[in-house]
Amino acid sequence: MTLRDVLVLMLSPVFLLAACDGSKPLIKREPKEPVFPAADRPVASIVSSRWSNEEARDRLNEAGEVMNKADIRKGMTVADIGAGEGYYTIRMAARVGKEGRVLAEDIVANVRDQLAERVAREDLANVSVKLGEPNDAKLPEASFDRVLMVHMYHEIEQPYEFLWRLRPSLKPDGLVVVVDADRQTQNHGTPPALLKCEFAAVGYTEVDTDAMPSAGGYIATFRATGPRPAPDAIRACRLR
């Protein structure tokens, strides 16, 4: 070992830490990834970015009724999770107006890209589009008045982790809004009781649940209450 090597070693942070008290050098350890319970239910596959024809949905005033029930107003900041082709993204952009914001998220890169092209084509300055992950929508903290999930909750493979990571994105009075069909998850729906149980397991309180025939099922709203539970304290709901 050369003199230069000895000097570099003596000046290194690990060497200095060890020299202070004669203990072994400190080793920096990466924090352990939290472990969440698995969903005790089937998970539906993603079959299409399109739920139905947009013109047909508009004839039923689907988006209008959902936005009314969710109390989406001008100036709000809203997230559209699993936005697909952007049926709700486009209509929520008009509802929140120039002072509001819509963030459209999807986990399929080419779907995200197609929606970004549509947003640019329609010159929607109040809309941004991003790619999320199956277990994390990757939303900025303390940003959203409403987080909307339409006919996609049953496709979330890790609902407890997803909802846990979603909580910090809500403003103090923010709500998560779920629209789904009242049928088993493998049949592309979520029974309302199961939905309520899974949300409650992560510290959300049900605000309201109503039938929503125009959207093919029901609409449920939830508010995050109390401290966010530790991942290992979450207990999976049992499918009955």
Side-chain angles (χ1 to χ4, degrees):
M1 181 180 292
T2 67
L3 177 60
R4 180 178 180 278
D5 293 334
V6 172
L7 290 172
V8 169
L9 176 61
M10 291 180 66
L11 293 174
S12 70
V14 171
F15 184 90
L16 293 174
L17 285 170
C20 289
D21 58 6
S23 62
K24 293 181 179 179
L26 297 178
I27 300 174
K28 182 180 179 182
R29 299 185 184 277
E30 293 297 325
K32 293 177 64 177
E33 283 294 314
V35 178
F36 297 86
D40 185 32
R41 59 168 171 81
V43 177
S45 59
I46 300 174
V47 293
S48 175
S49 62
R50 173 179 292 182
W51 167 248
S52 181
N53 176 275
E54 291 196 9
E55 291 75 17
R57 298 171 82 173
D58 280 344
R59 284 195 294 271
L60 295 172
N61 191 31
E62 176 189 332
E65 288 192 10
V66 168
M67 289 189 292
N68 289 341
K69 287 281 189 182
D71 194 25
I72 294 174
R73 307 183 303 274
K74 285 192 179 300
M76 281 188 166
T77 300
V78 183
D80 184 9
I81 306 301
E85 293 185 333
Y87 174 75
Y88 275 90
T89 298
I90 304 305
R91 288 151 183 81
M92 288 194 296
R95 175 68 68 96
V96 301
K98 293 181 180 180
E99 301 303 316
R101 295 289 302 172
V102 177
L103 188 152
E105 180 267 7
D106 208 281
I107 64 171
V108 182
N110 68 328
V111 171
R112 183 274 315 268
D113 293 343
Q114 290 172 14
L115 178 53
E117 291 175 4
R118 180 178 184 181
V119 168
R121 187 170 60 250
E122 300 192 20
D123 194 24
L124 300 175
N126 63 344
V127 176
S128 56
V129 181
K130 74 169 301 178
L131 187 68
E133 296 180 358
N135 63 339
D136 187 357
K138 299 285 187 180
L139 302 183
E141 292 189 8
S143 298
F144 296 96
D145 299 289
R146 300 288 184 271
V147 174
L148 196 70
M149 294 189 280
V150 179
H151 291 293
M152 57 75 63
Y153 183 81
H154 49 265
E155 297 172 354
I156 299 174
E157 295 183 7
Q158 298 166 299
Y160 303 106
E161 181 175 3
F162 185 91
L163 294 174
W164 189 86
R165 296 189 183 280
L166 185 69
R167 277 189 55 149
S169 72
L170 294 168
K171 292 181 180 180
D173 58 349
L175 299 175
V176 180
V177 182
V178 178
V179 176
D180 215 339
D182 185 2
R183 52 177 177 254
Q184 298 302 315
T185 52
Q186 65 267 35
N187 297 322
H188 293 272
T190 309
L194 176 63
L195 182 76
K196 180 179 178 180
C197 181
E198 290 186 348
F199 268 79
V202 194
Y204 293 82
T205 299
E206 180 185 29
V207 175
D208 194 22
T209 298
D210 286 313
M212 186 62 64
S214 63
Y218 64 89
I219 180 171
T221 53
F222 298 88
R223 176 177 286 113
T225 54
R228 186 169 63 161
D232 59 5
I234 299 171
R235 298 292 175 262
C237 301
R238 301 302 174 193
L239 182 64
R240 300 185 186 282

